[in-house]
Amino acid sequence: MAVEHTLQQLEDLLISVADSAVPLLGQTSRHILGAGGKRVRPRLLLLAFEAAGGEDFDEVIPLAAAVEIIHTATLVHDDINDHGTLRRGRETVNSRWGGTFALLTGDYLFTRTYELMAPYSTELNLILARAATALVEGETMQIQAAREGTFDRQTYFQIIARKTAALFVAAAEMGATAAEAPAECLRALSQYAFHLGIAFQLIDDVLDLGANSAQLGKNAGIDIAQGRGIAVAMQGGASPGNTSAPATEAENDITPEALQRRILRGTTVEEASAKGREKAQEFAQQAIEQLAALPASPAVDELRALAHQVVERDH
């Protein structure tokens, strides 16, 4: 299949992009980029390109790489904020080389996207730049809400719309724009990607409630510690800490297990996970419905299958 072959070419480009005149930066960048990953965002870009009538994948491989590198850079920075020690089944850059070099690695990856995007139109550059801005806004909102104890359903969805869905939307819009898609097609793919991104993050947070680190390939429980996933578990409840009463000794326990118990408050992990998966299925179905505006094609079939894969995954 053309997309699978192109994704292999993408891997080669990602490793070459990691090269640096400073050996340590090359080492840290290859460590995280070479660890693999789901590659959902570049796959989405390539499928959107094909679904919109694009044919020459060589034209958009650097675009797909830019999207994946932006995503990977955010993971490196997230691991600093979260004190994560495991990512994509490997020790994090932060854990192995320390926070300073991890910060610089994330910065380096962000700046490498400038070179990848330089040959492309202003329109394509703006799509990715706006998504990168949204990512930082979402991360900031998340940390602020977790610290202030102001997590609720509305805040949660505002955060994941920026932190996750925005880059999904950018991937689809970049693929469609590169294929010179008509406006109706571009809108459909953009809406598909938005709903797919929300579904993806809902499942991520559901998995964080009950999966183990080996299964996820990253530290389990970190998302709970930050407050993410509360809307999934509580269906609109506020985060623990949103109270004026003094904290008890038990409430001062900030282990993932203790935080999980306080977040769930009378709901089992199984019940919370079921609610989250049900909501994710709703968003995935809304994503699939957007595809009706596109001409039938193998790429559209794969986009439909991708929506199912996103909500049925276990890691």
Side-chain angles (χ1 to χ4, degrees):
M1 186 173 59
V3 168
E4 296 301 328
H5 174 69
T6 304
L7 285 170
Q8 185 53 56
Q9 293 178 281
L10 169 74
E11 296 299 326
D12 297 337
L13 178 57
L14 289 174
I15 295 303
S16 69
V17 166
D19 287 342
S20 170
V22 178
L24 180 58
L25 273 177
Q27 185 179 3
T28 57
S29 299
R30 283 191 298 273
H31 176 80
I32 182 64
L33 286 171
K38 301 177 188 69
R39 307 301 196 226
V40 174
R41 296 155 188 82
R43 181 183 293 275
L44 173 57
L45 188 151
L46 296 172
L47 288 174
F49 175 73
E50 186 177 16
E55 297 179 355
D56 187 357
F57 284 111
D58 288 343
E59 295 178 5
V60 293
I61 292 175
L63 295 179
V67 168
E68 182 63 20
I69 289 169
I70 288 284
H71 169 58
T72 303
T74 67
L75 298 183
V76 175
H77 284 171
D78 280 354
D79 288 334
I80 299 171
N81 292 333
D82 301 346
H83 308 291
T85 58
L86 184 68
R87 175 69 68 176
R88 293 175 173 173
R90 290 184 177 181
E91 186 179 11
T92 61
V93 176
N94 177 59
S95 176
R96 184 166 178 178
W97 285 277
T100 299
F101 288 129
L103 177 64
L104 291 169
T105 299
D107 291 345
Y108 179 68
L109 293 174
F110 270 117
T111 56
R112 288 292 277 164
T113 62
Y114 291 126
E115 295 180 55
L116 289 169
M117 295 298 298
Y120 292 96
S121 68
T122 300
E123 184 178 11
L124 286 167
N125 275 272
L126 280 174
I127 292 171
L128 187 58
R130 288 167 182 154
T133 298
L135 292 174
V136 178
E137 291 173 341
E139 176 71 11
T140 303
M141 289 175 63
Q142 175 182 303
I143 294 172
Q144 182 181 14
R147 287 182 177 177
E148 296 176 356
T150 55
F151 251 101
D152 56 25
R153 181 183 178 86
Q154 181 180 2
T155 302
Y156 173 78
F157 278 101
Q158 288 175 346
I159 289 168
I160 65 176
R162 287 175 170 85
K163 188 170 180 180
T164 303
L167 194 55
F168 276 68
V169 170
E173 290 185 352
M174 290 166 72
T177 299
E180 300 181 351
E184 182 181 5
C185 177
L186 178 60
R187 281 194 301 271
L189 285 166
S190 179
Q191 284 298 305
Y192 164 86
F194 174 80
H195 290 94
L196 183 73
I198 297 293
F200 183 93
Q201 188 59 59
L202 282 165
I203 293 297
D204 250 23
D205 290 345
V206 164
L207 290 172
D208 194 69
L209 288 173
N212 58 50
S213 297
Q215 179 182 342
L216 294 178
K218 62 180 181 180
N219 297 97
I222 283 181
D223 289 345
I224 290 174
Q226 290 188 305
R228 289 171 58 198
I230 289 174
V232 173
M234 298 296 293
Q235 292 295 296
S239 63
N242 188 13
T243 173
S244 57
T248 65
E249 183 177 353
E251 287 173 336
N252 284 323
D253 185 351
I254 59 171
T255 63
E257 294 79 8
L259 286 165
Q260 185 186 70
R261 287 193 298 272
R262 295 209 294 277
I263 288 166
L264 293 175
R265 290 192 187 276
T267 301
T268 67
V269 169
E270 290 75 19
E271 289 169 337
S273 296
K275 289 179 181 178
R277 285 192 176 276
E278 181 180 355
K279 183 60 67 175
Q281 288 283 359
E282 291 176 14
F283 276 97
Q285 184 56 41
Q286 291 178 65
I288 290 170
E289 289 170 2
Q290 302 301 318
L291 300 176
L294 304 177
S297 70
V300 170
D301 291 340
E302 289 188 50
L303 287 168
R304 190 175 295 109
L306 181 61
H308 290 297
Q309 292 164 12
V310 159
V311 294
E312 292 167 2
R313 63 196 171 95
D314 61 2
H315 65 282

